[in-house]
Amino acid sequence: MALGVAFAIPWLLLVLVPYISLAKLEPVAYAEDELPDGGMTQYPDKNLLRHGASDYGRDIYASEGCAYCHTQMVRPTYAGPDMWRPGWGGREDDGFARETRPQDYVTEKYAPLGYQRIGPDLANVGNRITDRALMHEHLYNPKGIDRNSGMPAYKHLYKDSPFGKGYEPTEKAEALVDYLLSLKKDQPLPAVVATGG
Amino acid sequence: MTVPKPTVEEMQERAAIDRSARYPVLFFFTSAAAWLFVATILGFFSSLKLCVPSLFDSCPFLGYGRLFPMHMIALVYGWAMQAGIGVMLWLMARLTKNELRYGTTMIVMGHLWNFIISLAVLSVWAGYGRSIPLLDFPVWVWPMMALTYALIVVWLIPMFRSRRNSYVYVSEMYLVGAAVWFPWIFVAANLLINKGASPVMGAGTDAWYISNLIYFWMGPIALAVAYYIIPKITARPIYSYPLAQAGFWILAVLAGWTGFSRYMGGPLPAWIPAVSGAASIFILLAVVATVANFLPSLKGQTKLWEYSPSLRFTVMGMLMFVVYAVLAALSSTFTFGKDLQFSHFQIGLDTLAFYGFFSMTVFGAIYFIVPRITNAEWPSGSRIRTHFWFSTYGIITMVVCMLVGGIAQGGDMAQWDRDFSTSFVNSSAYMVGRCIAWGLISFSNFAFLYQLGLMFVGKGRKTDGPTLIHSEPGAAADARAAAGLS
């Protein structure tokens, strides 16, 4: 019936075909002369999960609904000023700042691109906040870092310390922080990828 | 030209159809209204969390990241789906002149649906959400939803097949479309997302799903209602049947292409959002066709607007449909979209679709249908008025705050050399607006739920004059016309 066709064509062309072609993306090896430091040989790197982040941290990120306030996608300059914002596009100083690409998400099952940007983009937060304690502080008491912070505190991921002052992260908080610290979507691109070849 | 008066036999036949639809349809409406009330309360609290982020922050169950998805699930699957199903069943029965069969099965399935949606909401609450907008619930929930939906809606197809009129009403086309498209997009989206083979296309598919839900399900149902209620109450046939058909096919052909523009500039092949953007713009043709069809019917009918709750809600809903389609088209272009993407504008737009155009139109249908199936009149016209004005003001406050706030927030975000915090500090006032808006909407729906509850337990007014928004002694003839009874 025509109703079915009306539905099937866009579904096939717009959703299914790109889905399959993106699912089949193979890692791209760096050319001889462009090998970056750190022993990476291909993009995306085999060891994308730096800091030993686990699926657990990602699940916490999803179940606490962080993605409803935080995006994880850096748009190219023609589509918005994301990359000019200090730290969003990765390590500017090293010339690595760039927009995000499909290969950057290969460690995820579902790319948390996000719903709104009430808070800053987190695609490269692992580069901006490198200190573990600071990341915990951001989750436990964001107002302590920025008085105006619109970020809700996630106190339930922490226990009060038995020694009176301070707090102790639970397993969940540790996993979440592992995940956040691992968020770096700035691996240098091999020339073939960067030019879209 | 006027519509011919129904004969006595026709009236009796209609009454029989209404009786057959009574329990299933009323069940769906009432549980939908209860969900709506829950959804608006969740909407209120989630917005409150944005005004005062530190509120209840040691309680895991009251975070924005959980309340907001719960609010969306309750609003879309609890309220919109059930209300939509109720409308579909009744309208299909009425249009095809078939009695509604399998009423008991439907009620059983309806209970099941409510149970599944409760599970979905509770599992997000308990921390099993997945941050996939509108498909947050754990993986095992969706097959049950798809199955239950299918078992309710399949019965529409035999009804449609055995219709007893020579040509197909526009409303019937929209109903059949909505009935068959939804399972398709729902299953397709869930399968691809849960397969997880392509993470970014997963996210893209979700955006596609949301937009398709709006244009392939909510839109058609709302339009089916409008194409029924507006000619019925104004007693003028629709202006042009070919135009209506053209509108239908434009929507049918284009709707499936929309959605990806939500992630334009994202890590997807750039042509995909571009195509989606173009589709959102061309869909405006369908909107123009619809408006061109309704305007002649509505011309000079201010009196009916004064009296008839159904007409008032439906027309307001259609108005919002137009606004939605225009704004959605604008924000899917790079020119406007790049600053509005991810801002409050987006959520304003989504709410405009879910509450503004879909719900307002469906309220119109409910005000029309329930008195017929219960054989009683709404208890109070002034409560209908409360419902209308508080809902309207609520949704307008919401949408204006979110749109203007979104533009302000987007503008702040575009200034990349300024601190990011300006964007949420400056837009905090609009968050207060969002809170107030949900407060108003909650209140209005309390009035609605209360009325519907009275009708449900058989406490409707048993007189022969219909309940109108304003009652004037001596205006009974007008009143009957306004209710579509003459």
Side-chain angles (χ1 to χ4, degrees), chain B residues 252-283:
Chain B
V253 168
L254 291 174
W257 295 95
T258 59
F260 281 93
S261 32
R262 189 181 291 258
Y263 289 133
M264 65 191 176
L268 296 163
W271 63 269
I272 301 185
V275 168
S276 276
S280 311
I281 293 169
F282 283 113
I283 271 193

Side-chain angles (χ1 to χ4, degrees), chain A residues 4-15, chain B residues 257:
Chain A
V5 177
F7 171 82
I9 294 176
W11 180 68
L12 201 69
L13 294 181
L14 194 68
V15 183
Chain B
W257 295 95

Side-chain angles (χ1 to χ4, degrees), chain A residues 19 62 64 68 75 114-115 117, chain B residues 131 136 192 263 341-342 350:
Chain A
Y19 185 92
E64 294 300 340
Y68 280 96
R75 299 174 293 176
Y115 183 74
R117 246 180 210 168
Chain B
S131 282
D136 287 271
L192 291 183
Y263 289 133
Q341 201 179 8
F342 300 130
D350 288 347

Side-chain angles (χ1 to χ4, degrees), chain B residues 462-474:
Chain B
K462 298 276 197 291
T463 52
D464 63 350
T467 305
L468 300 167
I469 298 181
H470 298 279
S471 47
E472 257 173 63

Side-chain angles (χ1 to χ4, degrees), chain B residues 162-466:
Chain B
S162 61
R163 63 185 177 276
R164 282 197 275 134
N165 34 289
S166 46
Y167 62 97
V168 182
Y169 289 115
V170 188
S171 298
E172 285 174 344
M173 288 163 67
Y174 277 117
L175 289 179
V176 173
V180 300
W181 282 324
F182 174 73
W184 228 333
I185 50 174
F186 188 69
V187 172
N190 274 294
L191 280 177
L192 291 183
I193 290 172
N194 294 320
K195 177 101 176 46
S198 170
V200 288
M201 272 310 280
T205 308
D206 182 63
W208 173 82
Y209 169 73
I210 298 178
S211 171
N212 276 223
L213 184 70
I214 293 171
Y215 277 130
F216 258 155
W217 197 82
M218 297 190 169
I221 291 189
L223 287 168
V225 168
Y227 271 111
Y228 180 76
I229 298 261
I230 293 180
K232 188 88 186 170
I233 291 185
T234 59
R236 294 176 182 176
I238 54 166
Y239 175 67
S240 154
Y241 186 66
L243 194 60
Q245 270 188 317
F248 174 81
W249 285 111
I250 295 174
L251 189 70
V253 168
L254 291 174
W257 295 95
T258 59
F260 281 93
S261 32
R262 189 181 291 258
Y263 289 133
M264 65 191 176
L268 296 163
W271 63 269
I272 301 185
V275 168
S276 276
S280 311
I281 293 169
F282 283 113
I283 271 193
L284 292 179
L285 288 174
V287 176
V288 170
T290 313
V291 173
N293 239 342
F294 288 150
L295 277 185
S297 308
L298 290 172
K299 215 152 79 197
Q301 301 280 25
T302 42
K303 195 149 201 162
L304 289 177
W305 161 270
E306 278 277 301
Y307 287 121
S308 162
S310 312
L311 188 70
R312 212 191 249 199
F313 274 100
T314 307
V315 170
M316 183 54 84
M318 280 297 112
L319 210 65
M320 296 206 179
F321 177 53
V322 176
V323 177
Y324 170 78
V326 171
L327 292 179
L330 282 182
S331 68
S332 70
T333 63
F334 274 128
T335 327
F336 298 99
K338 72 178 175 191
D339 288 342
L340 299 178
Q341 201 179 8
F342 300 130
S343 72
H344 298 305
F345 192 88
Q346 275 298 335
I347 186 174
L349 217 50
D350 288 347
T351 316
L352 183 59
F354 301 152
Y355 197 85
F357 96 75
F358 179 77
S359 305
M360 291 300 266
T361 317
V362 166
F363 288 140
I366 293 180
Y367 279 118
F368 186 85
I369 295 172
V370 174
R372 281 167 180 72
I373 57 181
T374 54
N375 224 343
E377 294 299 332
W378 291 101
S380 148
S382 74
R383 244 179 258 133
I384 301 182
R385 202 157 61 222
T386 310
H387 183 206
F388 181 78
W389 286 116
F390 278 86
S391 276
T392 305
Y393 279 127
I395 189 68
I396 290 177
T397 314
M398 168 80 187
V399 169
V400 169
C401 278
M402 290 298 98
L403 300 188
V404 178
I407 293 169
Q409 187 199 20
D412 283 331
M413 283 204 268
Q415 302 192 329
W416 51 271
D417 51 350
R418 280 212 291 181
D419 200 48
F420 184 85
S421 61
T422 49
S423 78
F424 58 83
V425 172
N426 287 350
S427 59
S428 56
Y430 299 102
M431 294 297 104
V432 178
R434 177 169 160 184
C435 251
I436 294 173
W438 281 117
L440 294 176
I441 296 178
S442 272
F443 175 71
S444 82
N445 282 301
F446 184 69
F448 175 62
L449 181 61
Y450 179 66
Q451 290 252 79
L452 197 59
L454 287 181
M455 297 292 269
F456 187 71
V457 297
K459 287 258 169 68
R461 275 194 318 121
K462 298 276 197 291
T463 52
D464 63 350

Side-chain angles (χ1 to χ4, degrees), chain A residues 45-116:
Chain A
D45 184 32
K46 286 194 227 77
N47 307 317
L48 255 189
L49 288 175
R50 286 161 277 190
H51 296 279
S54 63
D55 285 348
Y56 191 44
R58 187 173 309 126
D59 290 348
I60 306 287
Y61 185 84
S63 69
E64 294 300 340
C66 311
Y68 280 96
C69 287
H70 289 285
T71 54
Q72 284 190 35
M73 75 173 229
V74 179
R75 299 174 293 176
T77 43
Y78 69 80
D82 297 358
M83 278 165 59
W84 296 327
R85 212 172 248 290
W88 277 30
R91 287 168 288 167
E92 290 94 351
D93 309 344
D94 305 337
F96 288 154
R98 62 170 174 85
E99 75 276 14
T100 44
R101 295 177 158 266
Q103 290 96 325
D104 294 328
Y105 301 85
V106 289
T107 56
E108 320 250 359
K109 280 199 97 91
Y110 178 86
L113 299 187
Y115 183 74
Q116 275 197 281

